[in-house]
Amino acid sequence: MNINIYYGGRGIIDDPTLSVISQITAVLQELNVKVQQYNLYEQRNGITSLPNTLKDADGVILASTVEWFGVGGYMMQFLDACWLYGDKEKIRQIYMAPIVMSTTHGEREGMMSLAAAWEMLGGLPCEGICGYIADTTKLENSSEYTKIIDKKAENIYRTINQKMPVFPASNQAVINKVAVANSIDLTPQESEQLSEYASDDKYVKKQKEDLQELASIFRDKMGQDGAASGNSEEYAKVLLKKFTPVAGINAKYRINFTEGGKLKPIIIEIDNSKCSCRVAEEDGCDVIITTDQKIFEEILDGHMTFQRAFMAGSIKMKGDFKLLRSMDQLFELMES
């Protein structure tokens, strides 16, 4: 019989969980069980590949310590890896005994969460051990505690050796219903290969660099497409076409774009019934509007007004605010 122990604590000297699994290991070895312990804190960079170690296991012990809240991050990472990369068909045949000791509180909740997680993976939970131990020396020196641990270890051995039946759990049925659409149909060999890639820091780093390069290419391409959708000369023609004279307005406007020099400024000069729109670099304007191309196109398309864009912070303005409000009157840019 092969039993793997996955320890999710921090490995500190006075961790009561380490004392418990040490005693359990001794009992199991006396019963001719091959025990392999994996300390997750030592293999934190390769946790995603650890589900591969379940191949030859008849049973597993998930052991962790509640130091303040929950069973800890290393154990959750391991369970995540089992969900993402583990061979679910193999896990369905594996018994799991949770061992959760606490130095504060929450050991029962921690044991229940491990059992529930293993059931969701499709595995078979069996009786575990949980307890509150503030002083590890009392645990190690107590003959009563030793008897309890020995008996629990023997029960774990009997359950796995005799392959005792386990009542089906409702959360297995729920997972079967809700997780079908999100599951990835991979063979055990593909899952193993994927987990090896995920645990390879150099491979992951290279993939991230490739993704960043592709994202940069797409951003540049989108930027080029956006610039091609319109230019300053075309915008000036649209404004001139939609001009509506308003008596008593004499002003000079300048529209700057934030696209880093791709679009040149537009100068709008109003003299009562006359309007001129041109692309130029000119000073001495009554109103200076700064915006980006997308917002300006929304204004031209009638989806936004100059005033509303200013109030929303989409455009910046210097000069007379009354003249900015008149822009919505001077140009028939009705909202659609």
Side-chain angles (χ1 to χ4, degrees):
M1 183 189 298
N2 297 317
I3 294 181
N4 293 348
I5 298 177
Y6 299 92
Y7 167 67
R10 294 187 297 136
I12 57 179
I13 297 175
D14 58 346
D15 188 339
T17 303
L18 284 175
S19 178
V20 172
I21 60 179
S22 175
Q23 294 183 45
I24 290 176
T25 300
V27 174
L28 293 175
Q29 288 176 343
E30 289 178 1
L31 295 170
N32 295 320
V33 176
K34 182 180 179 181
V35 180
Q36 178 67 48
Q37 180 171 328
Y38 297 91
N39 296 324
L40 301 184
Y41 70 93
E42 293 177 347
Q43 305 189 41
R44 54 185 175 273
N45 294 328
I47 286 180
T48 52
S49 64
L50 283 181
N52 300 330
T53 60
L54 296 170
K55 288 180 179 179
D56 301 322
D58 300 295
V60 300
I61 293 175
L62 300 183
S64 191
T65 305
V66 178
E67 296 186 69
W68 73 282
F69 184 81
V71 294
Y74 295 136
M75 183 59 70
M76 295 310 299
Q77 287 182 48
F78 173 70
L79 291 170
D80 284 345
C82 290
W83 176 260
L84 295 172
Y85 311 117
D87 183 351
K88 303 299 194 303
E89 292 299 324
K90 175 59 181 175
I91 292 176
R92 287 190 180 96
Q93 306 169 18
I94 301 177
Y95 288 85
M96 186 281 296
I99 307 295
V100 179
M101 309 303 290
S102 75
T103 57
T104 53
H105 60 86
E107 67 280 355
R108 294 186 183 276
E109 293 81 358
M111 186 173 70
M112 291 173 62
S113 67
L114 291 181
W118 197 254
E119 286 177 335
M120 289 183 181
L121 289 168
L124 305 168
C126 57
E127 184 181 4
I129 303 174
C130 70
Y132 164 71
I133 301 294
D135 186 353
T136 307
T137 57
K138 292 182 180 180
L139 174 64
E140 295 173 344
N141 298 326
S142 172
S143 59
E144 293 182 354
Y145 289 159
T146 300
K147 290 179 182 179
I148 294 173
I149 296 171
D150 289 350
K151 182 140 183 97
K152 294 284 189 180
E154 291 171 1
N155 289 338
I156 293 171
Y157 171 80
R158 291 191 190 96
T159 301
I160 299 172
N161 185 48
Q162 299 175 17
K163 297 188 182 300
M164 292 184 178
V166 177
F167 275 114
S170 61
N171 52 14
Q172 289 181 352
V174 171
I175 289 300
N176 289 336
K177 291 180 180 179
V178 302
V180 172
N182 295 327
S183 63
I184 303 175
D185 189 13
L186 298 176
T187 65
Q189 292 76 16
E190 290 172 334
S191 295
E192 179 179 351
Q193 186 178 26
L194 184 60
S195 67
E196 289 176 354
Y197 285 145
S199 61
D200 187 340
D201 291 339
K202 291 183 179 179
Y203 176 82
V204 172
K205 183 179 179 181
K206 182 65 169 60
Q207 292 298 305
K208 289 181 178 179
E209 291 174 351
D210 291 344
L211 288 173
Q212 290 175 353
E213 183 178 355
L214 285 172
S216 177
I217 292 173
F218 281 120
R219 281 197 299 269
D220 292 343
K221 183 70 168 61
M222 292 177 66
Q224 293 171 1
D225 292 343
S229 65
N231 54 52
S232 298
E233 288 81 3
E234 292 177 358
Y235 296 151
K237 291 179 182 178
V238 172
L239 288 170
L240 189 60
K241 183 178 180 180
K242 295 188 176 184
F243 171 68
T244 300
V246 176
I249 296 182
N250 292 275
K252 186 177 181 180
Y253 302 83
R254 173 172 172 156
I255 301 176
N256 295 328
F257 297 95
T258 59
E259 272 71 15
K262 292 182 179 180
L263 295 176
K264 296 180 180 179
I266 298 175
I267 302 298
I268 304 170
E269 199 161 359
I270 307 295
D271 183 7
N272 289 315
S273 62
K274 297 180 181 180
C275 174
S276 66
C277 298
R278 56 187 179 273
V279 178
E281 294 277 357
E282 295 183 13
D283 297 325
C285 298
D286 300 300
V287 177
I288 299 176
I289 298 170
T290 302
T291 183
D292 61 41
Q293 185 177 7
K294 182 180 179 181
I295 296 297
F296 189 68
E297 287 183 351
E298 288 184 6
I299 294 173
L300 291 182
D301 292 337
H303 301 307
M304 178 79 71
T305 64
F306 283 99
Q307 184 175 354
R308 184 177 296 177
F310 173 75
M311 297 301 292
S314 300
I315 65 174
K316 295 181 180 180
M317 170 243 168
K318 290 182 180 180
D320 190 341
F321 181 69
K322 292 181 180 179
L323 292 177
L324 174 66
R325 286 192 298 177
S326 67
M327 290 283 285
D328 295 319
Q329 300 173 332
L330 290 168
F331 302 96
E332 292 183 352
L333 305 173
M334 300 293 293
E335 292 191 21
S336 59

